Amino acid sequence: MSTKIDFTYLSEPDMIAAGVMDAARCVEVCEETFSLLGKGDYLMGGANHNSHGMNIVFPKETKFPNMPVAGPDRRFAAMPGYLGGRFDVCGNKWYGSNHGNIPKGLPRSILTMMLNDKDTGAPLALMSANLLSAARTGAVPGAAAKHLANKNSKTLSVVGCGPINKACFEAIITQLPAIEKVVCLALHQEQADAFADWVRDSHGIAAIGTVDAEAAFRDMDVITLCVSRGKPLTFKDEWIKPGATLLVSGPVQPEDAFLTNCRIVYDHTPLHENYVEDAIASGNKDGYYSSVIGGPLYRLIDAGKLPALKDSTGLGDVVNGVKQGRTSPSDRVIFIACGMSVFDISWGFEVLQTAREKGIGQSLNLWDQPAQG
């Protein structure tokens, strides 16, 4: 029996050639992943198998000269998981993040993804994961749009005009072919206008840029929200029309009146239960809630104003036909996504299969025979 272990290395250009930015296909794979989540055929980190991951967060001060200190979004994170079904593979997304990268011409976060054999632990592939992560982050609300938005939706608002919401837009638009107008909201008019120009040029859809939050919410059919983590956006209940679908991929602060008068669908309720457990363990529940996307909902659950997470709806339940998401065209629906490693695993696995079929990537050798048995 051979003990040789080779694995595939995929650079960012390799990932592009293997279709990592194929938004429509990524939505299909994420929908398949939601189905597996709903059935329970997965594992993530932590004792309850639902942890988002493990972070290294640097201290504000240190006596060690080489130890990094805290800065805007400065951290390392590992996101391990196992996904069943046809994927049947383990993986881990690893990334370092530092807002100080931007002046250096680097992305804020630099990510890699490793896929491993579930039995031996042998590496199957090491891949560049910035585009992988962006694509699956966008495809999650894309899958939600398929199952939650009204099919005749004509107006789409992009709240936050950064690269992640661009990926969200690319995925959502594959599921909503009737969209004929896009409103792009950013802090600065030039950024909003640039996004609107990109929408018109790349998709041929009428688009305008704005810095007026109300204009980006009022009378819109579908709203994708992905704004800066340091600046959660507030919006009013009265701005959201009947039938609207809000797809949340970043921190927001909706009025309580909206959250208590809409249908809420989570990406995966056990993940959010784990966030609450972490908040309790932190000893600073309020502070923890302020740092996570679902915090405003968790506060209302604690206050008895929203159903407990165990009684709430996850998108996997909707995909599998176990629970309803939208019950009528007039429902106002909000979808809350916090990100899970299983989506990186499924999309990474899919891209790896394409790379192998097309002969893309480089084979690297771990060993021919291990030096230690």
Side-chain angles (χ1 to χ4, degrees), residues 155 157 159 183 185 210-223 225 227 232-246 252-259 261-262 330-333:
T155 56
S157 180
V159 177
V183 176
L185 174 69
T210 184
V211 293
D212 179 2
E214 182 174 354
F217 283 88
R218 192 177 286 278
D219 297 326
M220 302 304 295
D221 293 325
V222 179
I223 305 167
L225 301 98
V227 296
L233 182 72
T234 299
F235 61 87
K236 296 181 179 181
D237 174 57
E238 66 185 60
W239 295 350
I240 311 302
K241 75 172 190 176
T245 305
L246 281 69
V252 292
Q253 292 289 341
E255 283 189 340
D256 290 355
F258 171 71
L259 292 176
N261 287 283
C262 71
S330 62
D331 284 343
R332 299 189 305 173
V333 181

Side-chain angles (χ1 to χ4, degrees), residues 55-78:
N55 285 289
I56 299 173
V57 180
F58 297 108
K60 293 181 180 179
E61 298 179 354
T62 177
K63 64 181 180 180
F64 303 104
N66 293 326
M67 181 180 288
V69 294
D73 201 29
R74 191 171 193 183
R75 59 200 166 99
F76 282 87

Side-chain angles (χ1 to χ4, degrees), residues 6 13 23 65 89 96 112 130 176 180 253 318:
D6 294 325
V89 69
T112 54
N130 278 55
L176 301 175
E180 58 188 31
Q253 292 289 341
V318 178

